[in-house]
Structure formats: C-alpha cells, structure tokens
Amino acid sequence: MQIERKRDGIGTGAIVAIVVVVILIAAAGYFIFVPGTSSSPSTPSTTTTTTSSPTTTTSSTTSTTTTTTTTSTTTTSTTTTSTTTTSTTTSTTTSTTSTTASKIGVITMPNGVGTESNNLNFSPVTATVIIGVNNTIEFINQDTVTHNVDFATVPTGSNATVGYTSPNMKGGQTWYVTLTTPGTYTYACDYHSWMRATIVVLAAP
C-alpha cells in the first residue's frame, strides 16, 4: 500500500512539473511573439520636424526713358523787289516833250467843282512851279463831269500858246503839261466859266 501511494505521489509531482514547464514555455512564447514586446531595451524614438520658411526676394528695377525732342524751324524769307518804271509823254501841237527828268506838280479838279453853287475851283487856284524841279504839271479830274484846260494867257516864247487846250477829261482822267518858259500862265475850263486859275513858272535856281 505504501509502494502504491509513493507511485501515486510521484505521478502527481510529475504532472505538476510538466504543467509548470508547459506554463513556462507558454509564457516564454507569449513574450516572444506578442507585438511590441522585446527582450532587448527599447530606444526612445525622436522625431524632428523642420519647418522651412520660404524667403522671397523682390528686386525692383526702375527704367528711366528720356525722350529728347528736337524741333527744327526753317524760316524762308522771300524778298520781292518790284521796280515800276513809269514813262509819261506830253503831247503838244508842235512837239512831244518827255517829262521823265522833271518832278511833277499836281492841280486837281475837285469833286463837285462842276456845280457853280459849290463855290469850288481848280486846286490850288494859284500854283507856283520851278523849272527843273516840278514844272511838269499833272491835272487830275476828281469830279464826275467832263472838264478841260484852256490856256488864256502865256509868257512870250512859251511852248504852250494862247488857246492851247487839253483833251476833254472825264471823271478820273489826267493830263500832263510841261511849262518850260518862266512867267505867268492863266487858264480856264471851257465848260464851266467859274473855273479859272493861274500858274506861275519860276526859272531854275
């Protein structure tokens, strides 16, 4: 009986030992295969985050444009020289006398002189001329009616004789006579009896 009890005690101890071994093996397998479990020491993991700030550099270039405007002014000066040559010829009953060399005296027949009530006459009524200076006389009819010049008295030897008469002059027309003999000349208009005047011709100085 004792021998059987010993055998039973040995059998029970062996079972217990086997169970303990199985538990240890299971525990070891657990530590080996469970994720995150390791027999070696764990090294802490350090994560470094680097933030890069982009740097923007703006370069401003100012371009200056200079515009130069050159104005060219061309001035053209045109000079026109006009030369007028007037040739006047006085006709008489005996000869043609050129008056180019003599300066001119002027006697007018004023506008309205053909009407007696206007109290007008040849102008000037008495004209004085000098031989070689202004002894060529221009008679200008400024009236609207016809007039003439009829010499009544003349000095002896004058180229203009008594009765020497100009052509009829309508309004705006002229007549020239050159008196070359010193003395006093009287004349009138044949159409208007109140129109009477005198020319005094002086010798050349």
Side-chain angles (χ1 to χ4, degrees), residues 14-204:
I15 292 171
V16 172
I18 290 170
V19 171
V20 171
V21 170
V22 170
I23 291 171
L24 290 175
I25 290 171
Y30 174 79
F31 283 106
I32 290 172
F33 292 104
V34 172
T37 304
S38 176
S39 60
S40 62
S42 64
T43 302
S45 176
T46 302
T47 302
T48 302
T49 302
T50 301
T51 303
S52 176
S53 298
T55 302
T56 303
T57 302
T58 303
S59 175
S60 175
T61 303
T62 301
S63 176
T64 302
T65 302
T66 303
T67 303
T68 302
T69 302
T70 303
T71 302
S72 178
T73 302
T74 302
T75 302
T76 303
S77 177
T78 303
T79 302
T80 303
T81 302
S82 177
T83 302
T84 303
T85 303
T86 302
S87 178
T88 304
T89 303
T90 301
S91 299
T92 67
T93 54
T94 57
S95 63
T96 300
T97 304
S98 175
T99 63
T100 305
S102 301
K103 294 183 180 179
I104 298 175
V106 177
I107 297 175
T108 63
M109 304 164 198
N111 185 28
V113 70
T115 302
E116 185 175 7
S117 59
N118 289 335
N119 295 319
L120 297 174
N121 205 337
F122 290 99
S123 178
V125 174
T126 299
T128 300
V129 298
I130 301 172
I131 294 175
V133 177
N134 60 346
N135 59 308
T136 295
I137 301 168
E138 179 185 16
F139 286 88
I140 304 173
N141 185 4
Q142 298 175 339
D143 200 5
T144 56
V145 298
T146 300
H147 297 286
N148 71 352
V149 174
D150 186 356
F151 283 95
T153 62
V154 296
T156 301
S158 172
N159 60 309
T161 59
V162 174
Y164 173 54
T165 306
S166 72
N168 290 334
M169 289 177 283
K170 295 181 180 180
Q173 292 183 329
T174 61
W175 177 66
Y176 295 87
V177 62
T178 300
L179 303 177
T180 58
T181 302
T184 300
Y185 298 74
T186 61
Y187 61 95
C189 173
D190 291 333
Y191 304 107
H192 306 96
S193 59
W194 61 90
M195 292 179 64
R196 298 180 180 274
T198 301
I199 300 173
V200 177
V201 178
L202 302 178

